[in-house]
Amino acid sequence: MLCVRDLHAAYGNIHVLRGVSFEIVGGQIATILGRNGSGRSTTCKAVMGLLPPLHGQVQLDGVNLAGRESHDIAHAGLGYVPEERLIFTTLTVEENLVLGQKPAKPGAARWTMDELYDLFPRLRERRNIRAGFLSGGEQQMLTMFRTLLGNPCAILIDEPTEGLAPKIVDVVGETILEMKRRGLAVILMEQKLSMAMKVTDTVLVMGHGQIVFTGTPQAFEADPGIRRQWLEVA
Ligand SMILES: Nc1ncnc2c1ncn2[C@@H]1O[C@H](COP(=O)(O)OP(=O)(O)O)[C@@H](O)[C@H]1O
Ligand SMILES: [Mg+2]
């Protein structure tokens, strides 16, 4: 279980996170919605230790990871798929995947390269091609697969469908559902509602540097005021 408690983070004197709290268990998907600039990417960075939090806890299975180095946090079982789709463009698809491989912790979902290729055979076809030649959607899938080969227990995925064609968005959705089936705790940062609402168990909404709504997708749909206040652009 991943439990984030009262997380505060700042860029210099710009205080962005003002007490973010949420929790998620394995086999569940939580989606954090918010306007542009509401702090979703900053939440990922603070949880992963890339932006050291000023205050608060990041507990994975009861162990507090806040304040640790980001490679330590990744090693403890937290995976992160950043918005920037960081891949090694001069290496092949398969070389990128090999670099992501880590032994699984007890209880963490195990993935093989073949199982991942089965989810998106296009990458298998292109496994000997340099990653820089892939389309945006293929690079997104490669980034997710590389993170999964690290066998995380929980995974933060920042805006995976941004700029992607609808067909690839479906593949992203299917892959996220497969993560859930294999027991991962999935935290999805999204701006678009359509894919997220199909897969998510819980909706969280960010505003003013905090989580301002937590509920089921049904409760979220039933409360248009939440959407008006925190998501729509005035
Ligand atoms: N590197 C940075 N330096 C200073 N301010 C930043 C930096 N990155 C993000 N911010 C600010 O932090 C706030 C939250 O940004 P971000 O977490 O990227 O939001 P989101 O991912 O929800 O769009 C915004 O006001 C943004 O301008
Ligand atoms: Mg962002």
Side-chain angles (χ1 to χ4, degrees):
M1 148 134 103
L2 175 68
C3 182
V4 172
R5 280 275 159 272
D6 199 25
L7 201 63
H8 286 249
Y11 298 101
N13 55 13
I14 309 167
H15 201 151
V16 175
L17 305 185
R18 299 170 175 276
V20 172
S21 299
F22 62 89
E23 56 184 55
I24 176 169
V25 297
Q28 292 277 300
I29 302 172
T31 300
I32 305 188
L33 301 171
R35 286 198 183 95
N36 243 335
S38 60
R40 290 158 302 148
S41 296
T42 304
T43 299
C44 293
K45 287 173 191 156
V47 168
M48 291 308 298
L50 295 164
L51 178 68
L54 299 172
H55 181 83
Q57 297 217 324
V58 175
Q59 284 187 8
L60 188 63
D61 295 329
V63 179
N64 185 26
L65 302 174
R68 292 225 209 143
E69 299 275 349
S70 55
H71 60 86
D72 253 10
I73 294 174
H75 191 73
L78 258 185
Y80 172 43
V81 182
E83 215 174 355
E84 306 83 60
R85 293 172 199 162
L86 295 176
I87 50 162
F88 299 100
T89 54
T90 60
L91 299 183
T92 66
V93 166
E94 194 139 308
E95 285 165 346
N96 269 276
L97 291 177
V98 168
L99 284 176
Q101 281 174 328
K102 274 189 256 159
K105 301 228 161 273
R110 278 159 217 272
W111 304 79
T112 65
M113 214 178 277
D114 260 335
E115 288 167 337
L116 293 170
Y117 280 147
D118 286 344
L119 286 170
F120 189 48
R122 178 92 179 127
L123 274 188
R124 180 185 277 124
E125 288 162 22
R126 310 201 81 191
R127 65 182 180 274
N128 295 319
I129 289 178
R130 285 189 192 183
F133 291 109
L134 299 180
S135 72
E138 290 163 356
Q139 292 190 359
Q140 180 63 53
M141 294 306 299
L142 177 59
T143 311
M144 280 206 293
F145 286 0
R146 197 184 56 195
T147 305
L148 290 174
L149 283 172
N151 284 301
C153 319
I155 186 168
L156 296 145
I157 313 177
D158 198 358
E159 302 228 34
T161 65
E162 206 187 341
L164 302 189
K167 242 172 96 178
I168 293 267
V169 172
D170 289 344
V171 179
V172 171
E174 260 315 303
T175 303
I176 288 170
L177 284 172
E178 183 60 25
M179 295 178 201
K180 172 184 159 90
R181 282 180 214 117
R182 292 186 182 215
L184 265 80
V186 182
I187 304 97
L188 188 60
M189 309 292 157
E190 266 297 339
Q191 231 192 335
K192 277 184 261 126
L193 290 177
S194 49
M195 189 275 284
M197 295 307 270
K198 278 186 222 152
V199 302
T200 204
D201 298 295
T202 306
V203 174
L204 305 165
V205 177
M206 251 195 121
H208 297 331
Q210 296 182 333
I211 301 295
V212 292
F213 171 87
T214 304
T216 61
Q218 293 74 20
F220 173 76
E221 297 280 13
D223 193 344
I226 294 289
R227 199 184 292 203
R228 228 176 4 252
Q229 186 175 2
W230 300 107
L231 300 179
E232 281 164 15
V233 180

